[in-house]
Amino acid sequence: MDAIEIHGGRPLAGEVDVSGSKNAALPLLAATLLAEGRHHLGNVPLLADIATMGRLFDHMRIDLDRDEVDPRRVTIRVPSSPRAEAPYELVKTMRASVLVLGPLTARLGHARVSLPGGCAIGARPIDQHLKGLAVLGAEIRLEHGYVESSAPRGLKGGRVVFDVPTVTGTENLLMAAALAHGTTVLENCAREPEVVELARVLAGMGARIEGAGDAVVTVHGVESLAPMKVDVFPDRIEAGTLLVAAAITGGNVVLHRCRLEDLDAVAAKLREAGTRIEPIGDGVHVQGPRVPAPVDFRTAPYPGFPTDMQAQLMALCTVADGSSVVQETVFENRFMHVSELDRMGADIKVEGHTAVVKGVPSLSGAPVMATDLRASASLVIAGLKAQGTTLVQRVYHLDRGYERLENKLSQLGAEVRRIRA
Ligand code: EPZ
């Protein structure tokens, strides 16, 4: 298994491009199932999770071809009746495969999708997805670890009230309702930029959607949709991760192709920590402080502080000149980076869903273990600051959501390299 070796202590400097968004690309790939024909997507990031979606499409007899010259340009040929099944061996490596459930049920009238099961950060149930599809008339059966969803006469409009604002739950139901007979009202929806982008692309395919980005979204079903042609927008979590990397090293960096408006909550906290952040051209200029100030923060659904940035900002707090209180309200087990950061000399105490981070003057490099995607990013960030060498192991977690992060960091002057272990 590969590892990332970092010699810490160098301020980042220079310019780098932000890649296409993993959490926008995955629902867009699923949305291609809604329309037979050839779909064209650009700026699709080269990530393990996207490759997993490609293997899933293979299984479903859908051709996904990457352009020879620009591998981030993807053509997808969806047949009239793809194989409506997502098997366990693929779904277990990527929970977002569950996003095929809504489109398959809506267009083909049936789907057999493995239950994703939990993951390192939590139980990750999909009860809200299933409840919503049932409201639209799907018959849902759970057996042998699979969800069988069927609606032979198609889905019908209905009123779905989510118990929690679930991102992929909202995305699944948006896609299902787009082809349902009649009007659907979705309440307590997730408002993340990726949800708004999916609705925008669905509208471009012919869907009739009002209110995406608000808690209540109305979808008027249509008979059929046309293939999409879209460029995936920038990954706000990768951008946020790079902002924190610049901040912790006291660096001076310009991120290109990044939308500061999607990062308000993150930028606000980084400014509170003493970081200078301002929009510049097609991106953002960031200047880190000599020593960060402590910041208290609490994760929440968008527009609150994103849970996907909690581990990264906590890494910054470990070297602040004071104590920070961090509350994780979205997932039940998203503090696994804490014990590894403590091995690097951080001083963090966890009480339930709250972590108290007492700033220390410096971190020391150490061999550490990645446990999940964003925890591994947090350890890389800490390694950039730590004195000496940090070896982040099991970086397959990192490769799920970051396009060769080590290359981007070395482009910014960090002493970092991938070791084929
Ligand atoms: C999406 O996951 C993201 N993944 C996650 O990013 C992100 O952390 C999460 O949203 C929250 O922002 C993709 O978009 C592919 P949720 P999702 O459904 O949709 C509970 C990353 O690092 N819930 O919004 O699976 C759930 O347990 C990944 O890129 C139910 O109870 O998250 C959680 O507590 C990690 N029942 C809360 O809602 C359901 O049916 C939010 O989960 C669904 C969710």
Side-chain angles (χ1 to χ4, degrees):
M1 279 182 265
D2 289 3
I4 300 268
E5 184 187 77
I6 309 158
H7 299 280
R10 294 174 66 161
L12 298 187
E15 314 198 6
V16 75
D17 284 355
V18 174
S19 299
S21 161
K22 165 178 89 81
N23 290 352
L26 292 171
L28 291 177
L29 290 171
T32 64
L33 301 175
L34 288 166
E36 183 184 344
R38 290 163 70 99
H39 303 252
H40 298 280
L41 288 85
N43 200 33
V44 178
L46 304 173
L47 299 172
D49 273 7
I50 304 292
T52 302
M53 203 64 156
R55 284 197 297 280
L56 176 57
F57 276 16
D58 251 358
H59 179 86
M60 297 168 74
R61 293 195 297 274
I62 295 168
D63 294 332
L64 182 152
D65 296 315
R66 284 187 179 279
D67 182 275
E68 255 129 71
V69 174
D70 172 6
R72 292 178 183 82
R73 187 155 292 290
V74 166
T75 301
I76 295 169
R77 270 183 297 287
V78 176
S80 56
S81 51
R83 187 172 174 191
E85 184 197 60
Y88 175 63
E89 56 275 5
L90 287 171
V91 175
K92 74 180 177 194
T93 59
M94 189 191 60
R95 325 170 19 72
S97 316
V98 76
L99 282 165
V100 304
L101 193 56
L104 289 173
T105 306
R107 186 162 79 86
L108 304 179
H110 63 96
R112 184 170 183 273
V113 175
S114 166
L115 281 163
C119 78
I121 63 177
R124 313 291 297 276
I126 59 165
D127 58 302
Q128 300 296 306
H129 302 233
L130 305 181
K131 184 184 93 171
L133 287 172
V135 166
L136 301 192
E139 191 204 324
I140 303 288
R141 272 202 322 280
L142 301 182
E143 51 191 20
H144 312 306
Y146 278 77
V147 180
E148 307 259 354
S149 161
S150 74
R153 286 185 302 286
L155 294 173
K156 60 179 178 26
R159 183 166 165 270
V160 176
V161 183
F162 292 110
D163 299 345
V164 287
T166 155
V167 173
T168 49
T170 303
E171 290 166 345
N172 238 334
L173 267 297
L174 270 178
M175 293 188 280
L179 289 181
H181 304 291
T183 293
T184 295
V185 176
L186 304 174
E187 300 197 23
N188 196 19
C189 292
R191 302 167 54 194
E192 271 70 2
E194 293 76 21
V195 173
V196 176
E197 177 65 0
L198 173 65
R200 186 189 71 80
V201 173
L202 288 172
M205 296 166 74
R208 293 177 51 215
I209 301 173
E210 293 146 21
D214 297 335
V216 179
V217 178
T218 303
V219 184
H220 304 284
V222 294
E223 271 306 299
S224 67
L225 293 171
M228 72 176 72
K229 191 168 169 30
V230 65
D231 281 344
V232 177
F233 74 18
D235 192 315
R236 64 191 168 97
I237 304 300
E238 183 199 17
T241 303
L242 291 168
L243 288 177
V244 176
I248 199 171
T249 57
N252 184 346
V253 167
V254 173
L255 300 184
H256 290 291
R257 307 173 68 172
C258 128
R259 303 173 7 154
L260 192 55
E261 65 270 25
D262 294 341
L263 278 165
D264 283 348
V266 175
K269 285 300 166 185
L270 284 171
R271 288 184 178 119
E272 219 181 293
T275 308
R276 276 191 38 227
I277 296 179
E278 61 257 344
I280 178 172
D282 68 340
V284 174
H285 172 240
V286 52
Q287 167 71 54
R290 198 179 53 75
V291 178
V295 285
D296 298 340
F297 64 101
R298 181 176 186 281
T299 65
Y302 196 90
F305 186 90
T307 174
D308 290 352
M309 280 297 303
Q310 177 257 108
Q312 298 92 308
L313 190 62
M314 186 189 283
L316 180 68
C317 295
T318 63
V319 291
D321 59 1
S323 283
S324 308
V325 177
V326 180
Q327 289 176 283
E328 172 55 62
T329 71
V330 177
F331 290 113
E332 59 267 36
N333 186 32
R334 207 167 196 179
F335 281 149
M336 281 167 300
H337 42 287
V338 167
S339 50
E340 297 304 291
L341 290 170
D342 283 351
R343 294 188 55 246
M344 297 176 71
D347 180 355
I348 309 168
K349 298 278 176 300
V350 172
E351 280 289 317
H353 293 283
T354 301
V356 178
V357 186
K358 215 154 67 182
V360 294
S362 67
L363 298 173
S364 58
V368 289
M369 191 73 78
T371 49
D372 64 271
L373 168 54
R374 306 305 175 182
S376 41
S378 165
L379 298 175
V380 170
I381 287 168
L384 290 170
K385 181 68 180 175
Q387 289 167 355
T389 303
T390 297
L391 192 66
V392 182
Q393 296 161 50
R394 296 192 183 168
V395 285
Y396 59 84
H397 291 294
L398 200 69
D399 294 338
R400 292 193 48 190
Y402 293 94
E403 258 193 7
R404 286 281 185 247
L405 183 61
E406 74 277 9
N407 291 356
K408 295 197 178 187
L409 294 173
S410 47
Q411 194 180 320
L412 294 172
E415 264 194 271
V416 55
R417 68 186 177 123
R418 179 177 289 256
I419 296 180
R420 294 232 172 275

